[in-house]
């Protein structure tokens, strides 16, 4: 298995007949595919890459062994599932599960047969959610394209800037990652913005990097936890001034404190909680930091205050007045 951040270097020294790009981050998968194209001198312009919409053993075999007219190596990409997907099954569906298992075994065997005849003229790339069915197939390497944690996002930012002749210290890189909630599609845009601006300094990061609204809510919660009313109201008013809707901000605050309560009252790991709530691990990390400032009973009262504010908003009370009252109530915990 290859980590995404290792892929570019691995491609410089190794030849791969097939790769499975698996994980939950589509940006990383796209970037990994771009790295493959660059390594093999292939342009993803509609001619250099052969995309199979409904991959079967036969369609893959045909695509792989048809010589490319545009490059020395043919790149064959299967973005749709190759192996049968598991669907919800009820009682008595054991036969369907057995048939699917047999089909998977048959497709693995056929794929291994294609790769056993690889002659260096093609590279076959699969997109998948999991590497489950792709491990231990001779000639195929899996690439971990799951979301990067903060340390690896920081590492990517430093490396990306260095390649363009810019230096970024760890503190600036950490701020960029935090303001973007480790969302790599945003991290790339914001890092490039700073590179185009010139020197990457803490001042430039504060001035140019757009803070994700969810990060701003974390910033707001920090001021509330420190009982700094002036700073909390300043953050809220700044968000409204830049065009954020008060009701949308209320929804973010409610969701944030709900996460904080769950984190404080459960023993789930960050990854488990993120999967349970359907959010990014970074979001749970922010909630975990805030949770350390409260007892469970205080967070229960916070949810009560939020419920009261929700009722006022639904009764068409003044948005800003309601939000100001809510912020002061949370500070009083």
């Amino acid at each position: 298995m290859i980590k995404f951040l290792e892929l570019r270097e691995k491609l410089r020294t190794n030849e791969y007949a097939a790769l499975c790009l698996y994980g939950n981050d589509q940006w990383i998968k796209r970037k990994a595919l771009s790295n493959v194209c660059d390594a093999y001198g292939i342009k993803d312009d509609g001619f250099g890459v052969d995309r199979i919409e409904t991959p079967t053993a036969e369609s893959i075999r045909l695509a792989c062994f048809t010589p490319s007219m545009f490059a020395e190596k043919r790149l064959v990409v299967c973005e749709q599932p190759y192996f049968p997907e598991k669907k919800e099954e009820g009682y008595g569906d054991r036969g369907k599960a057995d048939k699917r298992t047999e089909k998977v075994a048959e497709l693995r065997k056929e794929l291994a047969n294609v790769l056993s005849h690889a002659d260096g003229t093609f590279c076959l790339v699969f997109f998948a959610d999991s590497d489950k069915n792709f491990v231990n197939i001779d000639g195929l390497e899996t690439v971990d394209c799951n979301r990067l944690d903060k340390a690896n996002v920081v590492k990517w930012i430093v490396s990306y800037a260095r390649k363009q002749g810019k230096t970024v210290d760890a503190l600036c890189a950490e701020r960029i990652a935090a303001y973007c909630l480790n969302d790599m599609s945003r991290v790339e845009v914001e890092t490039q913005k700073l590179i185009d601006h010139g020197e990457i300094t803490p001042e430039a990061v504060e001035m140019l990097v757009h803070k994700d609204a969810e990060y701003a809510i974390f910033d707001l919660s920090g001021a509330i936890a420190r009982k700094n009313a002036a700073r909390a109201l300043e953050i809220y008013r700044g968000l409204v001034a830049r065009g954020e809707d008060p009701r949308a901000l209320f929804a973010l605050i409610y969701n944030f404190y709900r996460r904080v309560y769950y984190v404080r009252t459960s023993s789930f790991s960050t990854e488990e909680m993120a999967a349970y709530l359907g959010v990014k691990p970074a979001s749970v990390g922010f909630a975990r930091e805030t949770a350390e400032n409260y007892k469970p009973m205080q967070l229960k009262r916070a949810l009560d205050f939020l419920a009261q504010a929700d009722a006022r908003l639904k009764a068409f009370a003044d948005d800003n007045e309601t939000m100001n009252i809510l912020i002061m109530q949370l500070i009083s915990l």
Side-chain angles (χ1 to χ4, degrees), residues 205-220:
V205 172
E206 291 298 324
M207 179 177 67
L208 296 175
V209 176
H210 177 78
K211 296 182 180 67
D212 190 287
E214 192 169 339
Y215 176 83
I217 297 302
F218 167 66
D219 203 11
L220 173 62

Side-chain angles (χ1 to χ4, degrees), residues 17 123 146 282:
C123 178
N146 283 301

Side-chain angles (χ1 to χ4, degrees), residues 235-254:
I235 293 170
Y236 167 70
R237 289 164 185 164
L239 288 168
V240 173
R242 82 180 193 190
E244 298 289 349
D245 179 68
R247 289 175 181 259
L249 291 174
F250 169 77
L252 288 173
I253 292 172
Y254 172 76

